Amino acid sequence: AQDEAERSTCAESTLRPHTESVMALQLHRGLLISASADQTISLSELPSDDEPQRPRSDSSREQRPWEASPADYLPPANRMGGSGGGSGSGSRGSAADGAGRSMILSGHTDQIFGIHAYDEHLASCSADGTVRIWSLSDGQQKRRWRWPAYCVQCDERRCLTGGEGQEPIQLYDWRTGDPRAALHDTGASGPASICTGMHRRGTTVAAANSDRS
């Protein structure tokens, strides 16, 4: 009876914002962010009881499109069927069962390997050999640079990327695109391994590699 009660309180929603396999996802401030082999990133608004909003003490934070205009939350240039801005833009996605509004970010030209959201910014890396920074407030691309990476992590100014070779982890200032540091793979021997996952906490970086280390 207890198991039945627990199941009855667990709501399930199915989202299908992509046409190919989902490669990465993250829950962030009431959004489900997913990246796909179809070269797009989806931002789907979750029901409020599934992902409570974090208290927002910063009144200067930009409103997201659906917060600023609930009835028609995307700027005219980004609506489905309109022309996107620059080499990366947001467009309106289709409705999903049990989900709120959504937005599709397009710009990558090959499958997307990894994403990471921080505050109102999103970093992505792709098989097209680029790393990109997006604005979660309007879906526009803020920075793009050519660097092969399989995973990525960002904060308000820095972007950490995981790739391959003798310097698999690179640190960039994403606002300028300038490289800041590189972590050397001092234990590498034989063929270069690929950094398949990483997480930074302060000055410590944990990384997983294809050589099982």
Side-chain angles (χ1 to χ4, degrees):
Q2 182 178 356
D3 291 343
E4 192 67 34
E6 290 176 352
R7 281 196 295 270
S8 66
T9 60
C10 181
E12 179 179 321
S13 297
T14 300
L15 309 180
R16 294 184 176 88
H18 300 290
T19 59
E20 295 186 35
S21 300
V22 175
M23 307 297 290
L25 54 80
Q26 181 180 349
L27 294 173
H28 179 70
R29 291 190 172 186
L31 296 176
L32 173 60
I33 306 173
S34 59
S36 172
D38 68 8
Q39 308 172 14
T40 68
I41 299 168
S42 168
L43 312 180
S44 299
E45 191 177 44
L46 293 172
S48 57
D49 56 345
D50 284 357
E51 178 68 9
Q53 292 283 349
R54 193 170 68 180
R56 297 185 180 122
S57 57
D58 183 4
S59 60
S60 66
R61 184 186 68 81
E62 293 182 74
Q63 287 183 311
R64 291 180 183 142
W66 46 68
E67 294 170 345
S69 180
D72 193 6
Y73 59 93
L74 286 175
N78 291 338
R79 293 178 191 143
M80 183 64 78
S83 58
S87 57
S89 62
S91 63
R92 187 170 186 165
S94 59
D97 296 340
R101 291 151 291 194
S102 66
M103 180 161 57
I104 298 295
L105 309 185
S106 58
H108 281 295
T109 58
D110 207 333
Q111 65 177 319
I112 300 169
F113 290 139
I115 53 173
H116 182 258
Y118 179 90
D119 195 26
E120 289 298 310
H121 300 109
L122 174 71
S124 62
C125 57
S126 164
D128 65 12
T130 66
V131 176
R132 303 173 188 238
I133 303 292
W134 310 79
S135 168
L136 291 178
S137 64
D138 59 13
Q140 294 299 303
Q141 183 178 283
K142 301 177 72 70
R143 173 68 59 178
R144 178 186 65 174
W145 66 94
R146 187 158 294 281
W147 178 256
Y150 297 91
C151 50
V152 65
Q153 188 172 352
C154 70
D155 60 19
E156 68 277 355
R157 190 170 191 94
R158 296 163 296 184
C159 184
L160 198 64
T161 64
E164 58 186 317
Q166 297 304 310
E167 295 180 344
I169 299 178
Q170 302 278 339
L171 180 66
Y172 292 88
D173 182 327
W174 65 258
R175 294 187 182 273
T176 65
D178 296 330
R180 291 302 184 192
L183 301 184
H184 298 267
D185 189 358
T186 56
S189 61
S193 62
I194 295 172
C195 181
T196 56
M198 64 181 179
H199 186 79
R200 179 181 65 85
R201 179 69 61 86
T203 59
T204 301
V205 177
N209 297 296
S210 59
D211 64 1
R212 297 174 293 180
S213 63

